[in-house]
Amino acid sequence: MRRRASRRAALGFLVAIAGALIATGCDSLPGRPKGDADESAQATDFETLYANNCAGCHGADGRRGPALALHDPLYLALVPPDRLRSIVEDGVPGTAMTAFSKRSGGSLTGAQIDALVHGLREQWSRAEAPLGAAPPPYGAPLGDSGRGAGVYAAACASCHGAEGHGGAKGHDIVDPSFLALVSDQALRTTVIVGRTDLGMPDWRGKHGTPLTSQQVSDLVAWIAAHRAPVVGRPASGDPRG
């Protein structure tokens, strides 16, 4: 009798659970994906998209992150709009910049990428950038590393040290781990737009002596020459990134 009563009690407990699931719906099971109800997967709001996908590398407000500042009118004036979208969509092979487009293995739809790129330009660009000065072109072939050593000594060594291994005001820019994470184009972009959020001036320098496009190319060649081979990276001089 006791065993039969126990079976009845267990059966009643299972029936109660089944009734609760029917009443609440299977979607309320803990851990079950909620599909379209997940707002972050469907968001086209710039702030949400940026916070969820970009802030970890580029900083919470587009500045002071480990990667290039996106909240920078000079950068947004320099980079071609189609190139900016391509970087978000497909990433930069061989670097830490991953692809975000679903067709390339990422998590964002075309509409979300449109919203993200439009938001960057709408909120963080300025019509007057770059303040009337014409910066060197966004992309260009690598120059001569021998000449680049002289450019480095004149324009960069006071902050980054005589050999590029870091100084009182700048980090090590020839460190193999650092160079393994960035493309040649990323180096060129940083030389041109600087990291003003971290105190690094743009191509015009601290004393108003701008670098020419050739000097930028030579300087990038000198820095890139310190890079150790990285599996999967395009050949040096590839314009992507």
Side-chain angles (χ1 to χ4, degrees):
M1 293 293 293
R2 288 182 181 175
R3 186 176 298 173
R4 190 175 299 172
S6 296
R7 288 177 179 173
R8 286 200 192 104
L11 180 60
F13 180 68
L14 292 173
V15 170
I17 291 177
L21 291 176
I22 292 171
T24 60
C26 292
D27 282 345
S28 31
L29 283 171
R32 183 180 178 87
K34 292 183 171 55
D36 291 342
D38 185 353
E39 294 182 1
S40 66
Q42 303 299 321
T44 55
D45 172 71
F46 169 69
E47 284 77 12
T48 301
L49 288 169
Y50 182 85
N52 290 344
N53 298 282
C54 312
C57 292
H58 296 282
D61 66 345
R63 292 174 288 204
R64 293 177 293 277
L68 185 75
L70 299 178
H71 190 163
D72 184 338
L74 180 55
Y75 169 69
L76 293 173
L78 178 72
V79 61
D82 59 340
R83 180 64 196 133
L84 178 60
R85 193 182 197 287
S86 175
I87 293 171
V88 177
E89 277 190 317
D90 302 321
V92 182
T95 75
M97 179 60 193
T98 186
F100 282 90
S101 171
K102 284 190 172 183
R103 66 173 173 76
S104 297
S107 61
L108 299 184
T109 65
Q112 288 175 315
I113 291 174
D114 286 340
L116 186 55
V117 173
H118 175 76
L120 289 172
R121 292 192 169 277
E122 180 72 18
Q123 299 201 28
W124 292 343
S125 64
R126 287 201 309 263
E128 67 270 21
L131 303 177
Y138 172 75
L142 288 179
D144 180 87
S145 61
R147 292 196 304 262
V151 177
Y152 176 83
C156 313
S158 62
C159 289
H160 293 282
E163 301 297 328
H165 293 293
K169 299 180 181 179
H171 66 73
D172 187 339
I173 59 171
V174 295
D175 177 73
S177 297
F178 165 68
L179 292 175
L181 295 173
V182 296
S183 65
D184 293 347
Q185 178 60 54
L187 293 174
R188 179 178 179 86
T189 300
T190 303
V191 170
I192 295 172
V193 305
R195 283 298 304 267
T196 55
D197 56 329
L198 302 179
M200 175 184 168
D202 59 36
W203 89 102
R204 290 168 289 193
K206 291 183 177 180
H207 306 295
T209 305
L211 298 177
T212 66
S213 179
Q214 186 60 58
Q215 287 176 317
V216 171
S217 294
D218 293 342
L219 175 57
V220 172
W222 181 83
I223 299 173
H226 293 80
R227 180 186 284 123
V230 177
V231 176
R233 180 186 298 281
S236 194
D238 187 276
R240 294 175 292 180

